Amino acid sequence: MGSMFRSEEVALVQLFLPTAAAYTCVSQLGELGLVEFRDEEVRRAGLALPRPEGVVPAPPPRDLLRIQEETDRLAQELRDVRGNQQTLRAQLHQLQLHSAVLGQSHVPPLAATDIEGSSEWTPLLQAPGGPHQDLRVNFVAGAVEPHKAAALERLLWRACRGFLIASFRETEQQLEDPVTGEPATWMTFLISYWGEQIGQKIRKITDCFHCHVFPFAEQEEARRGALQQLQQQSHELLEVLGETERFLSQVLGRVQRLLPPWQVQIRKMMAVYLALNQCSVSATHKCLIAEAWCAARDLPTLQQALQDSSSEAGVSAVVHRIACQDMPPTLIRTNRFTASFQGIVDAYGVGRYQEVNPAPYTIITFPFLFAVMFGDVGHGLLMFLFALAMVLVENRPAVKTAKNEIWQTFFGGRYLLLLMGLFSVYTGFIYNECFSRATVIFHSGWNVTAMANLSDWSDAFLAQHPLLALDPNVTGVFRGPYPFGIDPVWSLAVNHLSFLNSFKMKMSVILGVIHMAFGVVLGVFNHLHFAQPHRLLLETLPELVFLLALFGYLVFLIVYKWLCVTAASAASAPSILIHFINMFLFSRSPTNRPLFHGQEVVQSVLVVLALAMVPVLLLGTPLFLCRQHRRHSRKRLAGRQSDEDQTGLPDSPDTTVASWGSDEEKAGCPGDHKEAEFVLSEVFMHQAIHTIEFCLGCISNTASYLRLWALSLAHAQLSEVLWAMVMREGLSMGRKMGVAAVVLVPIFAAFAVLTVAILLVMEGLSAFLHALRLHWVEFQNKFYSGTGYKLSPFTFAMEEE
């Protein structure tokens, strides 16, 4: 909890690493994630690589050669097997094309002739002993891609002037492309021609079209024999290809098993050498010197890790804490519960080193202020159950590794949503609202019977007055306050909205003043920690007096009127707003009587006291720092003359910080004692800005907390409108039609969808953003600068969601 209250102490250390053990030491530090190094010198198989199981340690340097040799051997084996596979596929493709050319009939069978001896087909090969038996006919057979067939046919006809007969047919089955593996259709062709010159032209044209040309025997029996031989060769080649692919699958399996851990090891080695490059070599070249930030409480662990890592080298690594000249980084350890709340604070700005961290208080105040604007038992319960479901399944890997950004956002803030829903249930009970409906948990404090017995409410009177008012001054009508929250009888009242407006508006002011005053008080811990006691008297005390004298008095008036004004005197009760306005004008209103005796004097004194704090805020700190600077200058001058004071250190860290900026004032580095030039004009300018910002901010910030009232009213009215326009209409419609069960199903579905979409998502997001603004602007700026930077330790661990 100490780490949550303020950031941990972070030390700057030097690591003296023996050269022989430097790699081992740094790799061990990467496993532990303790230090942040500072630079002194300024897809073909379609297999998915799994995540390596367990923790893969960084390998020693000698294992790099082994990994390289195994990787080269595995890669060469994979290339050889893949090349053999491609060669076999290409050969198989050629055999299949040749078989398709021979097996696809380009000449009609004899049964194709008709009865009269005429045929639609003319055989390309004439029977022996025909009229052209002395004419030599040659053939060119092959396959071409379908999109080239038409162009090939036209070019052959034009180039050969028709001295050929060409037949083109599409393959019946698709063949697998050896390169892409995609199935493709081919066109087989058979060209018959006379003359050698025509044959040369045909061969050149088919070569230009990248056609696959195959031998084509003239005799049908020879073609059948060649086809059977090709089919046998294809079958044998398929068996060889199957064995090759099985062996390739084994090689890929080894790659799938070995590559992920090798990748992790190589990345770790690269990270180690990157960290070693940030080290400097000692003058004797016997060790490396590294500077790193490390949490003070982790120094023993760091030393032990270095000793264990360097024990094999015979020389122990040493950790030496050195003086800090720069502002250290901020380290705040979080867990699953506190991470989302710390994220809210860090989104505003990472805190300066060791300044008060607002996150512990945000765990309570943020869900509560959200619930003030989102108070409804039903809506809060739905949000609570949604967050609870995420909390219960948070350890499931599928939930953690989900890639949806919206889901990741909700899952990251599951504990924040859990408290927001729980607090909304609480404030919903206070407002007595559950889906905009009031519930009767206890007996109401109002009694109608007593009013009717003591009044002349006849039947004629009741017929003329549909609305009646309960008078709390009548004995027995008001029996006391409701035990918890708002009395449910107010949900039946005509002035229900006016009553809740007054209550929520005043409640918002009270919560706002308390929240701001708490922020000012937290600044005390910063001043005490950084040894700046003068700021308690010259800044914190005047700020509290100014805030409480004006707006603390307003809270007093609200509470005093609630407690002292009775029902009998409520009609003549004075207006707090008019009293507060007259307080600043030093005037009085004859029609607005005082709340207590001597009120005007008290108000005048408080205004004068608040105004008197302005010059104290404006001039106190600059004059004090100027006096400190002169005293230090005289001491330094006297020390030079008499050699009595050799240190010349100032009494306060403020005098050692250049330009006296607000960030340096609130969170200076404990070891930073450099001499700095004191410029009074800059100090005064900074203090003037701070004074104007605080004084005007007290007014605007108090008014800003009225958003609690406005958002709460908007949420309640939206919930009321949704109930009246959906559920109430559905219930009345079901009663009229007599089919309530049938009608209510779509009505309730629409009500549920609109409730989630509008009241939970949209209104919830609106209330979340407004609560965020109240913490960043109205609360944190009272004590939190947020201008630091996080400690980023050198680690191999992956960030968890």
Side-chain angles (χ1 to χ4, degrees), residues 385-406:
L385 293 177
F386 174 67
L388 183 62
M390 289 191 292
V391 171
L392 295 178
V393 300
E394 64 180 2
N395 292 324
R396 296 184 180 180
V399 176
K400 293 182 178 181
T401 59
K403 300 301 181 181
N404 187 279
E405 294 184 3
I406 298 179

Side-chain angles (χ1 to χ4, degrees), residues 628 632 647-656 672-675:
Q628 283 285 89
H632 170 62
T647 60
L649 294 177
D651 296 336
S652 170
D654 291 319
T655 59
T656 68
D672 193 357
H673 296 299
K674 292 182 179 180
E675 297 295 335

